[in-house]
Amino acid sequence: MDASQTYCFTMRKESRIIWWMRWIVIVTASLLLGFFIGWSANTTRSNSANKSTSGKYLKELLQGMQPDQIRQHLWKFTRLPHLAGTEQNLRYAEQIGKEWLEFGLDTVEMVPYDVLLSYPNKSQPNYISIVDQFGSEVFNTSLAEPVPEGYEDVSNIVPPYSAFSAKGQPEGDLVYVNYGRTEDFSQLEKDMGINVTGKIVIIRYGKIFRGNKVTNAMLAGAKGVILFSDPADYCAVGVQSYPHGWNLPGGGAQRGNIFNMNGAGDPLTPGYPAKEYTYRSNLENVVGLPNIPVHPIGYNDAIHLLKNMGGQIPPNNWKGTLDVSYRIGPGFTGDFKSQKVRMNIHTNNQVTRIHNVIGRIRGALEPDRYVILGGHRDAWVFGGIDPMSGAAVVHEIVRTFGLLLRKGWRPRRTIIFASWDAEEFGLQGSTEWAEDNAKMLQERAVGYVNADSAIEGMYTLRVDCTPSLHTLVYDLTKQIASPEEGEEGVSLYESWHKRDNWTNDRDAPRISKLGSGSDFEAYFIRLGIAAARARYTKNKETERYSSYPVYHSVYETFELVDKFYDPTFKRLRAVAQVRAGLIFQLAESQLLPLDVNQYADSLGKYAQSIVQLAQRHPQEMTKYEVSFDALFSAVGNFSVAARDFHERLQTLNREEYDPMPVRVMNDQLMYLERAFIDPMGLPGRPFYRHVIFAPSSHNKYAGESFPGIYDALFDIKNSADTAKAWEEVKHQISIAAFTVHAAGMTLTPPA
Amino acid sequence: MDASQTYCFTMRKESRIIWWMRWIVIVTASLLLGFFIGWSANTTRSNSANKSTSGKYLKELLQGMQPDQIRQHLWKFTRLPHLAGTEQNLRYAEQIGKEWLEFGLDTVEMVPYDVLLSYPNKSQPNYISIVDQFGSEVFNTSLAEPVPEGYEDVSNIVPPYSAFSAKGQPEGDLVYVNYGRTEDFSQLEKDMGINVTGKIVIIRYGKIFRGNKVTNAMLAGAKGVILFSDPADYCAVGVQSYPHGWNLPGGGAQRGNIFNMNGAGDPLTPGYPAKEYTYRSNLENVVGLPNIPVHPIGYNDAIHLLKNMGGQIPPNNWKGTLDVSYRIGPGFTGDFKSQKVRMNIHTNNQVTRIHNVIGRIRGALEPDRYVILGGHRDAWVFGGIDPMSGAAVVHEIVRTFGLLLRKGWRPRRTIIFASWDAEEFGLQGSTEWAEDNAKMLQERAVGYVNADSAIEGMYTLRVDCTPSLHTLVYDLTKQIASPEEGEEGVSLYESWHKRDNWTNDRDAPRISKLGSGSDFEAYFIRLGIAAARARYTKNKETERYSSYPVYHSVYETFELVDKFYDPTFKRLRAVAQVRAGLIFQLAESQLLPLDVNQYADSLGKYAQSIVQLAQRHPQEMTKYEVSFDALFSAVGNFSVAARDFHERLQTLNREEYDPMPVRVMNDQLMYLERAFIDPMGLPGRPFYRHVIFAPSSHNKYAGESFPGIYDALFDIKNSADTAKAWEEVKHQISIAAFTVHAAGMTLTPPA
């Protein structure tokens, strides 16, 4: 075709019509085409786009967190002691709140409560004496721990004490009761024939929550409790004492609260937030508050109390590694027979103001769905590990989320960050806030990630979480790098799997059940919000000490972490990545990353394991007609419902233009954990309401599955009325079966 | 322009480009135009269309319900006695289920439970005797009511009895205690100096729930209770006895359960559904089960017991209208002094299978939101009024909804219809189903409309409901016609307003608080689901009899309604329209028709009225520092939150293409009622959990606001320790203040 042509049309009427028709057809076709493109553009709006963007932001989040920054946060918040209720802990709260706002959170608020705390009397120090027959104090325990180098000028270091101890100066003979567990007291009474009524018991720390030791001692009739750290339980083999290593020095001692609050939070306002106008019970009406003096000592002091004790030599598993014979008493031997032990305890209970810091990122699409990252800020002294290793991680997570916000990202759901107060006094800050916001949390909370101490060992990752989060934890740790030296290119998952294989179960790293002893308690066990915690830990198989050696002592400093636990701060970064990744995925995934099939699997295993516990009494099971059939049938129904639910998920309409079907199934996912909550509570523990998970009544730290049945079976041995005790087992099986059945029902199509 | 023209183009390069450009512009413009039309067409999809369609269907629903059909349903289901747990009540359940399916419900299921019921012993009838000094029975009460004409051949009419009475044959002197209220017993003891320990008390029916009368008698030490219907309380002036009128004949008596279950449902399985595998308490562990014999009689029999009584003549307000002097005893007078009264009670408690019928219409857009219409089916005998006037109405509602379904309509949310069993034995069917489905209901239920007896008088409408439903009730009744003769063109609202103006409050017909005594209890007071009930009632001002005269007697027949209460069945139709309209609007409105401002208003009034009650003790309020400030402050905050919420509603994006903003606010509306639920329950009543509404502990029928405070104030007078009693008042004020405050918080923007 050349550049110029001449077209001649002789337009007759017909051809003009054709010409018009052609135009009309073309324009109409274009309009129609445009219409459909417009319609469907509106329809498929950014669904897949969202997904890949979301993946990109996850990567940025994980890579954005910096070891150096974490180190700096930790340094900054461990300069001074910041016990709950003190001025300094309020200062840190204000600083955290201010920085969170600077990082870019939408809102930050300071939320105060007035709760019952407990402090030593500043003018009358607590100590324990050995007194001779004339009443003279021939030995006194130390009034404080030797202050670590570099902190000599620091004031306001609270000396070791047992919070919520009764006041008093009981005097009497000592009895040694090993770890003070139910079985230890039972062995003492039944096998060794020793009654501790009117005695002062000396118990070593370890194995169970110290509050349970005190409860057991009270029930047995003791008039005082001395808690000591034995090197067997608080020193690692081949490690030097702090500051040359991370073992507990002989002058160090473990502070801690000794009150079994069983989920009540502030003991004066159980069930309600401790606000200014809240009605407070009289102290004498507080259930379970210790009514005997309790005091903790280090092993240097413990030697003096133990070395002259008389009485029987106990079995080997009652012996620690001090150079004493661990005789059980009562009282001293030989020349020392007339000596007694006197406790001098002047600790006061006191209603005190505490402060939580609550920050938020508003959700873009579902502002009424909450994902919570919470950890405490209050520390016994500096809190080098507990809790500031966790708080530093939270700070870095908030900083990095702030960076994403600046880039224009906003999560689908609302994220809430919390710096809790007074955790060390019985999870009070977190529990009061949960009580204050119970209705909203119950209706809106998708998940809670706990952020207490981020490290307690140098070996590998440790995760405790609800079964529905297992899959997310595994997926996520595959996207995070191992922090261990020499493991470049190895994922955290592989590194963890290699070190802590779940050999007796499945080919995956170990994930444990949630117990209690940290701030997730009210969220998980009372309110039924899916929860998880993650930290770096020791080698469970080879390192037999309890917790970590300097736990709750003055030696929990910045240097402890910087020199020994995580000099590169890569382990803390890895923990930050796990915690942040969980929050991100819970807040951002279109479909909630909760795996109901995994819950079904776990329920099956728990049912198996609880029936095995019962089957230790085969004759009684027959005699009292104890059957687990209803429980197994409920678990079966649950599993079918979970499988069907999962199948429906596959065909779910996930177009963003029609969000209702996704919201409906997400609500089913969110409320599944809630379905295990029984408003009646577990027997005698109205605030422990999770029928599948709670600590046993005998050790707050350990999470048990089917805790109602577990406790009822535990009590069989000690019950005076066996028939009645088995009735209680049957009652608890029935409740568990109903609850699992009802939970399964919530997964069926809603109508 | 002529018909044929010649166009010649000399297309140079430039003009060709222009030609092409023109084409491109036109096509592009068309495409773009189409795109935007398409985009926005997808956006405004059917929002306004939906609304008017929905209005059309409401009209069809209201007009679709037919008096004749209601009459026919009532006739059909009152042919035979159908006491809970009997074969005949199961037959009716099957028939109802079958017909609901035929009407067009999506699913219908029969849901059984095994609950504790109570029946007379067929071979040992219950009766009361007067015995002389030789032990001979000189008078016996009748064993049954005279059977009404036309029903002579009917078997299985259970004689009048008190369900859950203890067995026994106590013998002793009678004491007359008026209505058996707390104040009656108090007056008896304090003013009249009479102790009922070891006596048989005779109490007239009326004023309060009979179970409270029995509880009071037990607490006072009585060893038996005789309940009688006095003509003063069970006969209307100028009305003949049945069958010539609707008054209670002298041979008729009121059946009824006398057990205060306080919301527990089946007494053997409190808190859990009574399934086959459910653990059951021993009867002796059941809290509050009557441990003395109780029996109801008519006034013909009562005369014989009362006429020879001795002792003081009581004040006039203790006197009924029988021709006796209503002396209070103890015992008989003069010649009859040696006579005693003996009760012969052989009623058995028995675990029995009951059946609820549950039908559903699946919601189109929000299948996981439930609107429930529930009423009971079990009757003491024929149930002419109680409950079949209500059940007939439900049947007609289901039939009419079926007609809408056939026309292609489907509600936005899921509708659940329930025919409850064993209501007469303590709301058992409805409570067990609520326990069975508690989790789902808590998360998904939008509202509950109760459908017990639809008529108890011939005067006007009576509505009891939660404050957030007031506005809907008023709006709806304006769309319904008055059923009264001579009121053509008058709305039900106007007719009702004219007859029952709320003079001391606002210019609107009276709406009362929900108490208990029917199946809404577990849904409203335990679970916190917005609830309402509606029925036709008598003139409260002029008709002073209790309930309706033949209540719970054999004379509650089809004819009672057909001849006296509603010969045209238009009153029942009006009640059907109210109940159905509530269900329709709750299920179908895009935005839930719940008025939070109204709740705020009501809370303010309740707070005023409870403080007035307290201010009857001005000195003690000062002495014990009782302040309502926190409660008023909470109500103030709630009101602000409600007003702000309402303002946000005005600007809410209500486009159907983006349903999330509406869902978020609807969830806030739905969960508002839930926010008043305290899982701790009211003091001593763990299943009454609504902090704003519950019956007082002294009368199950009457709804009190702030029942915790109300009961604490009620107890001030009778408490041995005044200081402690006021502490409880303060405690309850604190709980109420917190609850109202927290409820207000749920109305603020969610993030």
Side-chain angles (χ1 to χ4, degrees):
Chain A
M1 235 193 274
D2 62 9
S4 160
Q5 280 179 351
T6 301
Y7 297 84
C8 282
F9 298 89
T10 299
M11 305 258 313
R12 274 164 302 133
K13 205 174 187 172
E14 300 90 286
S15 69
R16 232 181 99 218
I17 288 169
I18 288 167
W19 185 85
W20 274 112
M21 277 175 67
R22 197 195 293 165
W23 268 97
I24 287 165
V25 165
I26 289 170
V27 169
T28 309
S30 305
L31 273 168
L32 278 175
L33 184 63
F35 181 93
F36 285 114
I37 292 171
W39 178 282
S40 25
N42 196 352
T43 291
T44 54
R45 254 195 273 185
S46 61
N47 185 20
S48 51
N50 261 0
K51 236 185 205 167
S52 64
T53 319
S54 166
K56 187 192 94 175
Y57 281 114
L58 174 60
K59 213 172 224 173
E60 287 195 16
L61 176 72
L62 298 180
Q63 288 172 355
M65 287 180 286
Q66 303 300 331
D68 282 0
Q69 289 282 342
I70 298 175
R71 184 175 189 277
Q72 213 173 300
H73 303 323
L74 183 63
W75 190 86
K76 196 162 54 180
F77 294 117
T78 51
R79 292 307 83 214
L80 293 169
H82 50 288
L83 189 61
T86 63
E87 183 66 18
Q88 183 54 43
N89 201 36
L90 172 56
R91 290 288 90 78
Y92 279 159
E94 288 164 343
Q95 190 178 348
I96 286 170
K98 186 173 144 282
E99 295 186 12
W100 282 4
L101 265 183
E102 288 163 6
F103 291 153
L105 296 193
D106 294 320
T107 63
V108 175
E109 51 174 339
M110 193 79 87
V111 187
Y113 297 102
D114 300 310
V115 301
L116 190 72
L117 301 187
S118 161
Y119 300 115
N121 184 329
K122 278 186 183 164
S123 52
Q124 278 190 299
N126 298 327
Y127 64 99
I128 295 163
S129 316
I130 298 178
V131 294
D132 64 16
Q133 70 238 63
F134 310 109
S136 300
E137 299 178 343
V138 298
F139 166 78
N140 290 335
T141 57
S142 44
L143 301 184
E145 298 162 298
V147 178
E149 208 180 306
Y151 295 86
E152 293 84 354
D153 297 337
V154 170
S155 51
N156 293 324
I157 295 175
V158 76
Y161 74 111
S162 296
F164 299 110
S165 166
K167 291 182 206 203
Q169 294 179 282
E171 191 175 311
D173 286 331
L174 278 188
V175 173
Y176 171 62
V177 204
N178 200 19
Y179 291 108
R181 295 168 294 192
T182 310
E183 55 266 39
D184 295 324
F185 275 97
S186 161
Q187 204 175 341
L188 184 79
E189 286 171 45
K190 291 187 186 157
D191 302 354
M192 308 180 194
I194 294 188
N195 185 329
V196 302
T197 306
K199 303 286 186 286
I200 293 171
V201 294
I202 181 162
I203 293 175
R204 56 170 164 160
Y205 269 128
K207 305 290 182 201
I208 64 169
F209 170 56
R210 67 186 88 74
N212 293 102
K213 297 170 194 267
V214 172
T215 303
N216 292 340
M218 278 162 58
L219 289 173
K223 64 177 176 184
V225 179
I226 300 167
L227 299 166
F228 74 100
S229 303
D230 196 288
D233 305 292
Y234 289 90
C235 291
V237 179
V239 173
Q240 287 195 283
S241 289
Y242 190 85
H244 309 295
W246 41 272
N247 265 352
L248 182 68
Q254 184 188 125
R255 293 155 188 78
N257 109 66
I258 51 159
F259 182 17
N260 271 322
M261 293 179 186
N262 289 325
D266 171 37
L268 300 185
T269 62
Y272 306 96
K275 301 197 177 192
E276 284 183 85
Y277 66 78
T278 307
Y279 183 83
R280 284 171 173 77
S281 317
N282 285 326
L283 265 178
E284 54 265 33
N285 296 335
V286 174
V287 181
L289 196 69
N291 55 14
I292 54 175
V294 184
H295 192 63
I297 57 175
Y299 52 86
N300 284 354
D301 282 337
I303 290 174
H304 291 275
L305 297 179
L306 293 169
K307 67 182 176 191
N308 297 325
M309 282 183 70
Q312 305 169 42
I313 292 185
N316 280 336
N317 60 7
W318 281 48
K319 292 180 185 167
T321 52
L322 287 174
D323 187 19
V324 298
S325 56
Y326 292 92
R327 289 178 188 270
I328 55 169
F332 296 121
T333 186
D335 292 352
F336 309 95
K337 220 158 193 159
S338 59
Q339 294 187 347
K340 302 283 175 195
V341 166
R342 184 198 294 151
M343 299 179 70
N344 302 279
I345 306 299
H346 307 283
T347 297
N348 290 307
N349 292 321
Q350 194 173 313
V351 173
T352 309
R353 175 147 293 198
I354 62 169
H355 300 85
N356 297 326
V357 187
I358 305 289
R360 283 167 205 258
I361 299 175
R362 203 182 52 256
L365 291 176
E366 298 185 85
D368 64 339
R369 290 294 174 261
Y370 301 159
V371 178
I372 304 161
L373 176 66
H376 71 107
R377 182 186 69 255
D378 66 302
W380 284 113
V381 190
F382 302 107
I385 282 183
D386 182 3
M388 302 322 281
S389 64
V393 156
V394 170
H395 216 58
E396 181 59 3
I397 292 171
V398 175
R399 191 186 69 83
T400 317
F401 269 114
L403 296 178
L404 298 196
L405 287 172
R406 290 218 174 99
K407 290 181 181 165
W409 173 81
R410 183 164 285 284
R412 182 183 180 97
R413 305 184 182 86
T414 294
I415 303 178
I416 297 176
F417 299 97
S419 168
W420 306 125
D421 205 344
E423 189 266 3
E424 295 296 3
F425 291 83
L427 320 179
Q428 297 207 40
S430 58
T431 304
E432 296 309 302
W433 197 78
E435 291 179 333
D436 211 357
N437 295 278
K439 290 295 162 195
M440 281 180 283
L441 292 167
Q442 191 171 299
E443 285 146 16
R444 303 175 188 167
V446 158
Y448 177 95
V449 175
N450 199 55
D452 205 339
S453 310
I455 192 162
E456 60 183 11
M458 301 155 224
Y459 185 64
T460 192
L461 187 67
R462 171 178 168 186
V463 175
D464 307 352
C465 70
T466 190
S468 55
L469 283 169
H470 286 194
T471 309
L472 176 60
V473 167
Y474 291 142
D475 286 352
L476 184 66
T477 49
K478 287 172 187 167
Q479 301 176 57
I480 294 171
S482 165
E484 295 303 320
E485 264 190 58
E487 291 191 348
E488 286 70 30
V490 174
S491 73
L492 178 60
Y493 179 90
E494 291 167 277
S495 168
W496 175 29
H497 195 185
K498 189 174 71 188
R499 287 177 172 78
D500 197 5
N501 202 346
W502 203 339
T503 48
N504 62 345
D505 186 344
R506 56 184 169 187
D507 186 26
R510 178 201 313 272
I511 294 182
S512 300
K513 297 189 283 276
L514 285 162
S516 182
S518 194
D519 291 306
F520 58 86
E521 187 189 81
Y523 300 86
F524 185 58
I525 306 178
R526 190 194 295 198
L527 294 174
I529 299 165
R533 64 193 308 199
R535 55 193 139 157
Y536 226 75
T537 195
K538 64 199 171 194
N539 184 341
K540 227 175 127 162
E541 304 301 317
T542 59
E543 305 182 77
R544 313 309 294 254
Y545 52 88
S546 277
S547 188
Y548 52 95
V550 300
Y551 171 68
H552 284 192
S553 75
V554 75
Y555 308 110
E556 281 202 39
T557 59
F558 170 75
E559 290 73 19
L560 178 75
V561 177
D562 193 43
K563 284 196 185 146
F564 304 112
Y565 277 91
D566 196 16
T568 65
F569 280 80
K570 284 188 179 167
R571 289 173 181 143
L572 290 189
R573 200 238 324 245
V575 171
Q577 289 168 326
V578 173
R579 291 174 178 177
L582 289 171
I583 292 295
F584 183 93
Q585 296 289 53
L586 284 166
E588 184 68 352
S589 303
Q590 187 201 25
L591 207 61
L592 287 177
L594 297 171
D595 184 340
V596 297
N597 279 330
Q598 183 54 56
Y599 222 127
D601 273 15
S602 296
L603 288 174
K605 282 171 198 153
Y606 303 150
Q608 281 299 345
S609 104
I610 200 79
V611 78
Q612 276 163 23
L613 206 61
Q615 279 163 350
R616 293 187 192 167
H617 316 266
Q619 284 154 345
E620 292 181 357
M621 279 187 70
T622 308
K623 180 172 172 191
Y624 298 112
E625 299 177 328
V626 181
S627 162
F628 283 81
D629 290 355
L631 181 58
F632 280 102
S633 148
V635 170
N637 289 344
F638 185 99
S639 303
V640 171
R643 205 165 49 232
D644 292 352
F645 184 86
H646 194 76
E647 272 167 27
R648 287 201 310 285
L649 274 187
Q650 306 308 311
T651 58
L652 175 64
N653 174 6
R654 295 178 61 174
E655 301 299 342
E656 289 284 3
Y657 79 93
D658 184 14
M660 204 63 96
V662 171
R663 171 93 171 192
V664 169
M665 291 196 92
N666 272 343
D667 277 3
Q668 290 185 282
L669 284 166
M670 171 174 78
Y671 288 130
L672 175 61
E673 195 78 50
R674 231 79 95 232
F676 295 114
I677 292 298
D678 185 342
M680 311 286 283
L682 294 171
R685 301 188 293 177
F687 302 111
Y688 281 165
R689 295 177 183 161
H690 202 303
V691 173
I692 312 303
F693 298 110
S696 95
S697 292
H698 304 277
N699 178 19
K700 194 179 77 175
Y701 288 152
E704 299 296 344
S705 46
F706 295 123
I709 309 177
Y710 179 90
D711 271 5
L713 285 170
F714 196 104
D715 290 343
I716 291 286
K717 257 193 316 218
N718 303 314
S719 171
D721 182 342
T722 312
K724 205 176 151 189
W726 279 103
E727 283 302 297
E728 181 58 15
V729 172
K730 289 159 75 172
H731 190 187
Q732 294 301 322
I733 294 171
S734 164
I735 291 172
F738 163 65
T739 305
V740 170
H741 184 80
M745 290 291 296
T746 68
L747 293 175
T748 60
Chain B
M1 235 193 270
D2 62 8
S4 159
Q5 283 178 350
T6 303
Y7 297 83
C8 283
F9 298 89
T10 299
M11 306 256 315
R12 274 167 301 130
K13 203 174 188 175
E14 300 89 286
S15 70
R16 232 181 99 218
I17 288 170
I18 288 166
W19 185 86
W20 274 111
M21 276 174 65
R22 194 194 297 164
W23 269 99
I24 287 165
V25 166
I26 289 170
V27 169
T28 309
S30 307
L31 272 168
L32 278 174
L33 184 64
F35 181 93
F36 286 114
I37 293 171
W39 179 283
S40 28
N42 196 353
T43 291
T44 54
R45 251 194 278 184
S46 61
N47 185 19
S48 51
N50 261 0
K51 236 184 203 166
S52 65
T53 319
S54 167
K56 187 191 95 178
Y57 281 115
L58 173 60
K59 211 171 224 174
E60 286 197 25
L61 176 73
L62 297 180
Q63 290 173 353
M65 287 180 288
Q66 303 298 333
D68 282 0
Q69 288 283 342
I70 298 175
R71 182 176 192 277
Q72 212 173 301
H73 304 321
L74 182 64
W75 190 87
K76 195 161 55 179
F77 294 118
T78 51
R79 294 304 84 216
L80 293 169
H82 51 287
L83 190 61
T86 63
E87 183 66 17
Q88 184 54 42
N89 201 36
L90 172 56
R91 289 288 90 78
Y92 279 160
E94 289 164 344
Q95 190 178 348
I96 285 170
K98 184 171 144 283
E99 295 186 11
W100 282 4
L101 265 183
E102 289 164 4
F103 292 153
L105 296 192
D106 294 320
T107 62
V108 175
E109 52 175 338
M110 193 79 87
V111 186
Y113 298 101
D114 300 313
V115 299
L116 190 73
L117 300 186
S118 161
Y119 300 114
N121 184 328
K122 280 186 182 165
S123 53
Q124 278 189 297
N126 298 328
Y127 65 98
I128 296 162
S129 316
I130 299 175
V131 293
D132 64 17
Q133 70 239 63
F134 312 108
S136 300
E137 299 179 341
V138 299
F139 167 77
N140 290 336
T141 57
S142 46
L143 302 183
E145 297 161 297
V147 177
E149 207 179 307
Y151 295 87
E152 295 83 355
D153 297 337
V154 171
S155 51
N156 293 324
I157 296 175
V158 77
Y161 73 112
S162 297
F164 300 110
S165 165
K167 292 183 203 203
Q169 293 177 285
E171 192 175 310
D173 286 331
L174 278 189
V175 174
Y176 170 63
V177 205
N178 200 19
Y179 292 108
R181 295 168 296 191
T182 310
E183 56 266 37
D184 295 324
F185 275 97
S186 162
Q187 204 173 342
L188 185 78
E189 285 170 46
K190 291 187 186 159
D191 303 352
M192 310 180 191
I194 294 188
N195 184 328
V196 301
T197 307
K199 304 285 186 288
I200 292 172
V201 294
I202 181 161
I203 293 175
R204 55 173 165 158
Y205 268 128
K207 304 291 184 201
I208 64 168
F209 170 57
R210 68 186 87 75
N212 293 101
K213 299 170 194 265
V214 172
T215 303
N216 292 340
M218 279 163 60
L219 288 173
K223 65 177 176 184
V225 179
I226 299 167
L227 299 166
F228 74 100
S229 304
D230 195 287
D233 306 290
Y234 290 90
C235 290
V237 179
V239 174
Q240 287 196 284
S241 289
Y242 190 86
H244 309 293
W246 42 272
N247 266 350
L248 182 69
Q254 183 188 125
R255 294 154 186 79
N257 109 68
I258 51 158
F259 182 16
N260 270 324
M261 293 177 186
N262 288 326
D266 172 37
L268 301 184
T269 63
Y272 306 96
K275 300 197 178 193
E276 283 183 86
Y277 66 78
T278 306
Y279 183 83
R280 285 171 172 75
S281 318
N282 286 325
L283 265 179
E284 56 264 34
N285 296 334
V286 175
V287 181
L289 197 67
N291 56 13
I292 55 175
V294 183
H295 192 65
I297 57 176
Y299 54 83
N300 284 354
D301 282 337
I303 291 174
H304 291 275
L305 298 178
L306 293 169
K307 67 182 177 191
N308 297 326
M309 282 184 70
Q312 304 169 42
I313 291 184
N316 279 338
N317 60 5
W318 280 48
K319 292 180 185 167
T321 52
L322 287 175
D323 188 19
V324 300
S325 56
Y326 291 93
R327 289 176 187 270
I328 55 169
F332 295 121
T333 186
D335 292 354
F336 309 95
K337 217 159 194 159
S338 59
Q339 293 187 350
K340 302 282 176 196
V341 167
R342 184 197 294 151
M343 300 179 70
N344 303 277
I345 306 300
H346 307 282
T347 296
N348 290 307
N349 293 321
Q350 193 173 314
V351 174
T352 309
R353 174 147 293 198
I354 62 170
H355 300 85
N356 297 327
V357 186
I358 307 290
R360 284 169 204 256
I361 299 175
R362 202 180 54 256
L365 291 176
E366 299 186 84
D368 64 339
R369 290 294 174 262
Y370 302 158
V371 178
I372 305 162
L373 177 66
H376 73 107
R377 181 186 70 254
D378 66 301
W380 283 113
V381 188
F382 302 108
I385 283 183
D386 183 4
M388 302 323 280
S389 64
V393 157
V394 171
H395 216 60
E396 181 60 1
I397 292 172
V398 174
R399 191 187 69 84
T400 317
F401 270 114
L403 297 178
L404 298 196
L405 287 172
R406 287 216 177 101
K407 290 181 180 164
W409 173 81
R410 182 164 285 284
R412 182 183 181 96
R413 306 185 180 85
T414 294
I415 302 177
I416 297 176
F417 300 96
S419 167
W420 306 123
D421 204 345
E423 189 266 2
E424 296 295 3
F425 291 84
L427 321 178
Q428 296 208 41
S430 57
T431 304
E432 297 308 303
W433 197 78
E435 293 179 332
D436 211 357
N437 295 278
K439 291 295 163 194
M440 282 181 285
L441 293 167
Q442 191 172 298
E443 286 146 16
R444 301 176 189 167
V446 159
Y448 177 95
V449 175
N450 200 56
D452 204 340
S453 310
I455 191 161
E456 60 182 12
M458 300 155 224
Y459 185 63
T460 192
L461 187 66
R462 170 178 171 187
V463 174
D464 306 352
C465 69
T466 191
S468 56
L469 283 169
H470 287 193
T471 309
L472 176 60
V473 167
Y474 291 143
D475 286 352
L476 184 66
T477 48
K478 288 173 186 166
Q479 301 175 56
I480 295 171
S482 164
E484 295 303 319
E485 264 190 60
E487 292 190 347
E488 285 71 28
V490 174
S491 73
L492 179 60
Y493 179 90
E494 292 167 276
S495 168
W496 177 28
H497 194 184
K498 189 176 70 187
R499 288 178 172 77
D500 198 4
N501 201 347
W502 204 339
T503 48
N504 61 345
D505 187 344
R506 57 183 171 190
D507 185 28
R510 178 200 312 273
I511 294 183
S512 300
K513 296 188 285 275
L514 285 161
S516 183
S518 193
D519 291 306
F520 59 87
E521 186 188 81
Y523 299 86
F524 185 58
I525 306 178
R526 191 195 295 199
L527 294 174
I529 299 165
R533 63 194 308 198
R535 55 193 138 157
Y536 225 76
T537 195
K538 63 198 171 194
N539 184 343
K540 227 175 126 163
E541 305 301 318
T542 59
E543 305 182 77
R544 312 310 293 253
Y545 52 89
S546 279
S547 188
Y548 50 95
V550 299
Y551 172 66
H552 284 194
S553 76
V554 75
Y555 309 109
E556 279 201 41
T557 58
F558 170 78
E559 289 74 18
L560 178 75
V561 177
D562 194 43
K563 284 196 185 148
F564 304 112
Y565 278 91
D566 195 17
T568 64
F569 281 81
K570 284 186 179 168
R571 291 175 179 139
L572 290 189
R573 200 235 330 240
V575 172
Q577 288 168 327
V578 174
R579 291 174 179 177
L582 289 172
I583 291 295
F584 182 93
Q585 295 290 52
L586 285 166
E588 183 68 353
S589 303
Q590 188 202 23
L591 208 60
L592 287 175
L594 298 170
D595 184 340
V596 297
N597 279 330
Q598 184 55 56
Y599 223 125
D601 273 13
S602 297
L603 288 174
K605 282 170 198 151
Y606 303 152
Q608 281 300 345
S609 104
I610 200 80
V611 78
Q612 276 163 22
L613 207 60
Q615 280 163 348
R616 293 186 192 166
H617 316 265
Q619 285 154 344
E620 293 181 356
M621 278 187 71
T622 309
K623 179 171 174 192
Y624 298 112
E625 298 177 329
V626 182
S627 161
F628 283 81
D629 291 355
L631 181 58
F632 280 102
S633 149
V635 171
N637 289 344
F638 185 99
S639 303
V640 172
R643 204 166 47 231
D644 292 353
F645 184 88
H646 194 74
E647 272 167 28
R648 288 202 308 287
L649 274 186
Q650 304 309 311
T651 58
L652 175 65
N653 175 5
R654 295 179 61 173
E655 301 299 341
E656 289 284 3
Y657 79 93
D658 184 13
M660 204 63 95
V662 171
R663 171 91 171 193
V664 169
M665 292 197 90
N666 272 343
D667 277 3
Q668 290 185 281
L669 284 166
M670 171 174 76
Y671 288 130
L672 175 61
E673 195 78 49
R674 231 78 96 229
F676 295 113
I677 292 298
D678 185 342
M680 312 286 283
L682 294 172
R685 301 188 292 176
F687 302 111
Y688 282 166
R689 295 177 184 160
H690 203 303
V691 172
I692 312 302
F693 297 110
S696 96
S697 292
H698 305 276
N699 178 18
K700 194 178 78 175
Y701 288 152
E704 298 297 344
S705 46
F706 296 122
I709 308 177
Y710 179 91
D711 271 5
L713 285 170
F714 196 103
D715 290 344
I716 291 285
K717 256 193 318 218
N718 303 314
S719 171
D721 182 344
T722 311
K724 205 174 151 191
W726 280 103
E727 283 302 298
E728 181 60 15
V729 173
K730 288 158 74 173
H731 190 186
Q732 294 301 322
I733 294 171
S734 165
I735 291 172
F738 163 66
T739 305
V740 171
H741 185 81
M745 291 291 296
T746 68
L747 293 176
T748 61

